[in-house]
Amino acid sequence: MGNRTALYQSHVDAGAKIVDFGGWDMPINYGSQIEEHHTVRQNAGMFDVSHMTVVDVTGPDARAYLRTLLANDIAKLDDFIGKALYSGMLNEAGGVIDDLIVYHLDGWYRVVVNCATRDKDLAWMTRQSEGFAVTLQERADFAMIAVQGPKALAQAKQALPEQNDLIDGLKVFHGATAGDWFIARTGYTGEDGLEIMLPEADAPALWQTLIDNAVAPCGLGARDTLRLEAGMNLYGHEMDETVSPWQANMGWTIDLKDAERDFIGRAPLEAQQAEGVPAKLVGLVLRERGVLRAEQTIIVDGVEATGVITSGSFSPTLGFSIALARVPAEAEGEAVVEVRNKRLPVTIVKPNFVRHGQSLV
C-alpha cells in the first residue's frame, strides 16, 4: 500500500482504477482516459494533485535564498504579490534536480515541487539553506485539487460562490490566499483553470461540491496526455540531473541578466551556452498509423540513433501520435522513428501541439 491523499476514498467510491504513482495510490482513470481528456479540453475536469509537495519559505533571507537556489530570478516577482514563476532547481553541474513553481506572497514564498522527487528536493533545499536566515515548512497538511478546462473558472465559481471575487480577480499565473485556502490560476493541461490548495479535512467536501457543479473527476492518465499535447515537461522524462535546461526547452527560464546573481549551476550553463548546446527538445508528429513512445530512437539525416523520444502518446485532440524528443541542435524538417521494427516518417515541430483546445501543428 502506498501513500494516500485525503481524497483516496472519494476515488475508490467513484470506481477509479488505482495505480502506484511515485509511491502514492492515485487514480489513473475513472473508466475512460480518452473521455476524461476530452472533458478537460471541451468543458471542465478536475484532478487530485495532493501528492505534490508544497513548501513555504519564510524569513528575512527568503528572497536571497531563492535567488541562489533557482535558475530563474524571483526578483521579477518583487512588485507583484501573488505572481508565480516557473523555474528549474539545478545542481552544481547545471543538471535539473526538479522543476517547480514559486509564488510570491506577502513577505514570503510558496514553492510547489514534484512528488516523485520530494525527498531529494527537501534534502537539497535544506542543505542549500545553510547560511541563510530562512525557514522551510513542508505543508503536508494540504490537499490540492486542479480544476481545468475552458469552463473551469465558471464551474468553480458556481461551486465556490464565496470565492467569486477572488477568482474573478486572478490573473493567469497568479495566486491568492483565502483564509486557510490558496487558489492559483495555474495548471498542467494547456487549458485555463485553478489549482486549489486547502486543508485536507476540507478536500472531500470540495471534491463533491465540484462534482455537483458539473466538474468531472479525471485521472492521471488524462493529465499526462493533456500535458504532452501542451508541450509541458515531465520530470524524469524531458529532464533530470544529467540534462541541462538548455536541452530541455527550458532556456527561457534561465535568467542571466544580473551578473552579480551567482545561482547554483550558473557557471556550467554559461559555459554550455558559449560552447554551443549540442541537443534540443523538439516535438514530433506522426500522421501515419503507429504510436510514438518514450525511448524510441530517432534517425536524423540518415544517421542511426541520433535522437530519442522522451515522452510520446496518441493525441486524443489531434487524432494522431505526438512526442517530445531530444535531437541534435541542428535537426529540423523530417526524421524517422523506429516503431516496432518499422521506420516511420515524422515531422519535427516546435515542442507544443495544443493550447486552449486549438491545434498548433
Side-chain angles (χ1 to χ4, degrees):
M1 183 177 73
N3 296 309
R4 293 177 174 178
T5 75
L7 291 167
Y8 175 79
Q9 192 59 47
S10 299
H11 304 319
V12 172
D13 293 344
K17 179 181 178 181
I18 303 295
V19 300
D20 174 75
F21 184 84
W24 290 80
D25 291 340
M26 299 296 291
I28 192 72
N29 63 61
Y30 294 82
S32 173
Q33 177 177 326
I34 299 292
E35 289 181 10
E36 292 166 18
H37 180 109
H38 289 315
T39 293
V40 174
R41 283 280 178 254
Q42 300 167 9
N43 196 334
M46 62 181 174
F47 304 87
D48 178 10
V49 290
S50 306
H51 57 308
M52 301 291 282
T53 303
V54 180
V55 181
D56 290 345
V57 183
T58 59
D61 288 348
R63 179 180 181 273
Y65 164 68
L66 290 172
R67 292 193 79 204
T68 300
L69 184 74
L70 304 179
N72 212 340
D73 191 356
I74 65 162
K76 297 173 182 176
L77 308 180
D78 284 351
D79 297 328
F80 306 97
I81 300 298
K83 187 172 176 58
L85 187 75
Y86 174 70
S87 180
M89 180 169 65
L90 312 182
N91 59 25
E92 291 95 339
V96 183
I97 291 175
D98 201 5
D99 65 328
L100 53 84
I101 290 178
V102 56
Y103 299 90
H104 176 214
L105 300 175
D106 192 7
W108 56 286
Y109 299 86
R110 172 159 288 164
V111 179
V112 182
V113 301
N114 290 301
C115 75
T117 53
R118 171 192 174 275
D119 292 345
K120 72 167 184 174
D121 285 0
L122 292 177
W124 179 259
M125 292 172 72
T126 300
R127 175 182 162 192
Q128 300 306 324
S129 70
E130 295 177 6
F132 291 96
V134 296
T135 299
L136 308 181
Q137 180 187 8
E138 182 184 7
R139 296 304 305 268
D141 55 320
F142 272 168
M144 192 186 314
I145 298 172
V147 186
Q148 302 283 292
K151 298 181 181 179
L153 269 62
Q155 303 301 82
K157 286 169 60 178
Q158 288 185 13
L160 297 167
E162 69 279 10
Q163 303 299 345
N164 279 5
D165 290 344
L166 185 154
I167 293 172
D168 283 338
L170 278 181
K171 297 178 181 178
V172 174
F173 233 62
H174 283 70
T177 56
D180 293 337
W181 293 26
F182 180 76
I183 303 176
R185 196 168 168 187
T186 50
Y188 192 52
T189 63
E191 298 294 334
D192 203 352
L194 303 171
E195 292 181 312
I196 304 170
M197 305 175 203
L198 70 168
E200 288 186 324
D202 296 344
L206 174 60
W207 188 264
Q208 186 58 51
T209 301
L210 288 165
I211 291 174
D212 295 341
N213 284 273
V215 181
C218 301
L220 297 184
R223 192 166 183 256
D224 190 54
T225 51
L226 289 159
R227 74 89 192 168
L228 177 59
E229 288 185 346
M232 295 179 173
N233 289 357
L234 176 62
Y235 191 84
H237 287 250
E238 281 65 55
M239 65 213 156
D240 58 31
E241 293 194 47
T242 69
V243 175
S244 160
W246 297 124
Q247 299 184 27
N249 195 35
M250 293 174 63
W252 61 278
T253 71
I254 302 170
D255 194 324
L256 301 172
K257 293 178 182 177
D258 185 349
E260 300 300 316
R261 186 174 75 97
D262 188 21
F263 64 84
I264 300 165
R266 176 169 185 149
L269 292 186
E270 290 180 320
Q272 292 166 24
Q273 186 182 44
E275 295 167 2
V277 181
K280 62 182 178 181
L281 191 71
V282 300
L284 299 179
V285 170
L286 171 65
R287 288 188 166 85
E288 295 189 7
R289 288 179 61 87
V291 179
L292 301 177
R293 299 291 188 194
E295 300 185 7
Q296 290 171 342
T297 58
I298 304 166
I299 300 168
V300 180
D301 294 332
V303 181
E304 300 286 335
T306 51
V308 64
I309 290 178
T310 55
S311 294
S313 180
F314 175 79
S315 164
T317 302
L318 300 174
F320 48 77
S321 195
I322 59 174
L324 296 174
R326 192 162 290 109
V327 299
E330 66 276 8
E332 59 182 18
E334 304 299 318
V336 173
V337 175
E338 293 187 353
V339 180
R340 293 186 176 181
N341 299 319
K342 294 183 180 180
R343 297 191 170 190
L344 301 180
V346 293
T347 302
I348 298 173
V349 299
K350 292 181 179 180
N352 45 71
F353 310 90
V354 177
R355 282 296 169 97
H356 302 298
Q358 301 300 311
S359 172
L360 302 178
V361 294

